[in-house]
Each structure stands twice: as C-alpha cells, then as structure tokens.
Amino acid sequence: HTEVMALWGRVWMWHALQVLVLFLASNVLIWAGTRQAWPYVTLWGLGLLSLTVPAWYYRFRDGPALTPIERQLGQVWGMFAACCLLTGVIVVLMGLEVTQLLPLVVLQCGAAAGCMAAILGGSFYVMAAACAALAVLLALAPRIGPAIFGVVFAVSLFVPGWKFSRR
C-alpha cells in the first residue's frame, strides 16, 4: 500500500515531531513533580488535537477521498484513542497517579502500530516492537522513560514518513 503511505508520509513526519514534543513536555511535568491529573490532561488534550492540523493540511485539504485502507487505519487509531481515554478513566477511578498510566498507553500504542503494520504491509512492526519494549522501560524508569519513548517513537514514525513522502 505504498500509494496510501505516500499520501500520509508528510503527516507522519509532522506527527513524529509533535509526539516528541508532547513526551518531552510530559517528562518536564514528571521532573517538576506534578502529580495532579489536570496538567497532563490539558497538555495531552491540546497535543492530540494538534495532530489534526497536519492531517488536515497535507491529506484532507486538497487530497483525494479516503481509500478503504485509510478508513481501516482511522478505525484502528480511533479504537486506540477510545482505549486510552478509558484507561485514563480507570486509572483515576482506582486512585492511581496519572504517570502510572503511561506504560499502558504505550503498550496500547504498540498494539495500534502492529495493526497498522498488518494493514499496510509491515513498515510499522519495528514501531510496534519498540512500543512493547518501551512500555516495560516506562514501568521501570518512569522519570526518564517518557523522553526516551518520545525519541524512539518519533524516529520510528519519521523514517517511514520521510521514505514514503519522497515517492
């Protein structure tokens, strides 16, 4: 599905940068000792909303209609977003700290990346495996894990984005 990947290459490169900034900012909040949920919810709410800007600009603004493959990918990432939201609600209901949510969200992100790899023909299996490994790192090293994950995730999204945007 290189034609679909070529349509999304520039979007993925921008998303890589945005996700890197979000995880670095999350790490700053952790280093500052922020335990309340609202700064993280605000940061991630705005950050996730900002992901729509490159998608709109590079794919939806003047692009062709969505292909069936793109609709499947949208469903995968929509389910990922719903799972993350529900995981956050469960964490709050259980009285856990919001930073304890991160390894689970990264693991869910790995599952979504694995689905994306299966749909697109394999380019994102490395990202899926990295998410799985980094979920464990986040559980073991919560003070540095988000920054490391942000870098690894950004690179594993940027590289295929750059590769396919050049086609």
Side-chain angles (χ1 to χ4, degrees):
H1 299 289
T2 55
E3 68 284 347
V4 170
M5 294 169 70
L7 290 170
W8 285 89
R10 290 182 292 178
V11 175
W12 292 335
M13 291 189 306
W14 277 103
H15 283 176
L17 177 64
Q18 290 171 289
V19 169
L20 175 63
V21 169
L22 282 171
F23 273 97
L24 292 176
S26 296
N27 231 132
V28 169
L29 289 174
I30 290 169
W31 292 332
T34 305
R35 294 181 179 260
Q36 303 91 353
W38 71 266
Y40 295 97
V41 170
T42 302
L43 172 69
W44 278 91
L46 294 173
L48 292 175
L49 279 174
S50 76
L51 292 175
T52 62
V53 174
W56 174 81
Y57 187 78
Y58 289 113
R59 179 62 187 95
F60 296 110
R61 184 174 55 124
D62 294 325
L66 288 176
T67 66
I69 295 296
E70 289 173 296
R71 284 193 287 280
Q72 286 179 332
L73 292 170
Q75 291 170 356
V76 166
W77 287 102
M79 287 183 274
F80 163 71
C83 285
C84 289
L85 178 65
L86 290 172
T87 301
V89 169
I90 290 168
V91 164
V92 170
L93 291 174
M94 293 179 67
L96 301 172
E97 287 186 29
V98 72
T99 56
Q100 292 175 303
L101 162 78
L102 222 42
L104 299 173
V105 170
V106 168
L107 193 58
Q108 292 166 349
C109 183
C115 291
M116 191 167 147
I119 292 169
L120 291 176
S123 292
F124 292 94
Y125 282 124
V126 171
M127 178 190 290
C131 287
L134 290 167
V136 175
L137 175 67
L138 282 163
L140 296 174
R143 293 189 56 79
I144 61 164
I148 293 170
F149 176 76
V151 169
V152 171
F153 186 86
V155 168
S156 61
L157 189 57
F158 187 89
V159 169
W162 182 73
K163 175 182 172 185
F164 288 101
S165 70
R166 299 176 59 97
R167 291 185 180 211

